């Protein structure tokens, strides 16, 4: 079954993530990847300034689903939960290439995924869905 928005229009959700599973068996998203580089102290001064500035912008621009539902990313309740942008969230998507440039500079792979049915929706707002992937 394909997820639809506004009746019969098929929506292709967008996600940027590592092509490799992390230690929990999940695919880390673009923001998690760059935040990991920052925690490891691997970013240049300019890259860290970019990350801080843009992360702050994203924090204002859209809702963190865990502030609405604290269990949304709970690994036992919603294993593998992952956020996907709605394609209409162009104002959010247009900043992602800067993150991808930083990741590329550090040899960190990040892939673009598009799906009409990325999983069971456990959270939705005007710019994103959080899903538990299909088995």
């Amino acid at each position: 079954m394909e997820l639809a928005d506004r009746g019969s229009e098929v929506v292709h959700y967008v996600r940027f993530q590592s092509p490799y599973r992390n230690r929990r068996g999940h695919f880390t998203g673009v923001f998690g990847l760059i935040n990991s580089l920052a925690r490891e102290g691997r970013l240049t001064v300019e890259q860290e300034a970019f990350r801080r500035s843009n992360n702050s912008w994203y924090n204002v621009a859209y809702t963190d689903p865990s502030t609405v539902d604290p269990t949304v990313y709970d690994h036992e309740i919603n294993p593998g939960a992952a956020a996907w942008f709605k394609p209409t969230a162009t104002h959010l998507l247009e900043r992602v290439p800067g993150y991808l440039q930083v990741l590329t500079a550090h040899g960190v792979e990040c892939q673009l995924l598009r799906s009409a049915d990325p999983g069971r929706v456990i959270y939705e707002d005007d710019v994103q869905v959080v899903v538990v992937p299909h088995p």
Side-chain angles (χ1 to χ4, degrees), residues 6-132:
R6 294 183 195 91
S8 63
E9 179 184 337
V10 174
V11 175
H12 285 93
Y13 300 96
V14 178
R15 178 167 169 79
F16 295 87
Q17 69 179 27
S18 172
Y20 309 107
R21 292 183 185 276
N22 62 24
R23 67 182 183 279
R24 288 188 173 161
H26 306 129
F27 298 96
T28 304
V30 65
F31 303 118
L33 291 171
I34 200 165
N35 290 339
S36 290
L37 290 174
R39 278 192 303 277
E40 295 167 4
R42 295 177 53 194
L43 299 180
T44 66
V45 171
E46 295 81 13
Q47 291 168 340
E48 178 61 11
F50 167 85
R51 183 190 75 86
R52 284 179 182 261
S53 170
N54 282 279
N55 281 5
S56 293
W57 182 87
Y58 275 108
N59 288 340
V60 172
Y62 77 111
T63 302
D64 174 349
S66 64
T67 63
V68 176
D69 177 358
T71 67
V72 75
Y73 292 116
D74 183 293
H75 299 292
E76 291 185 25
I77 297 171
N78 295 310
W84 290 68
F85 290 113
K86 290 183 175 180
T88 54
T90 55
H91 66 295
L92 301 176
L93 292 165
E94 67 189 13
R95 289 183 178 238
V96 172
Y99 285 84
L100 300 177
Q101 289 174 352
V102 172
L103 294 174
T104 298
H106 290 274
V108 176
E109 294 180 55
C110 189
Q111 64 185 0
L112 164 64
L113 301 176
R114 295 180 192 276
S115 178
D117 187 11
R120 177 177 52 87
V121 176
I122 56 173
Y123 172 86
E124 181 172 8
D125 63 31
D126 59 330
V127 295
Q128 66 185 322
V129 293
V130 177
V131 304
V132 173

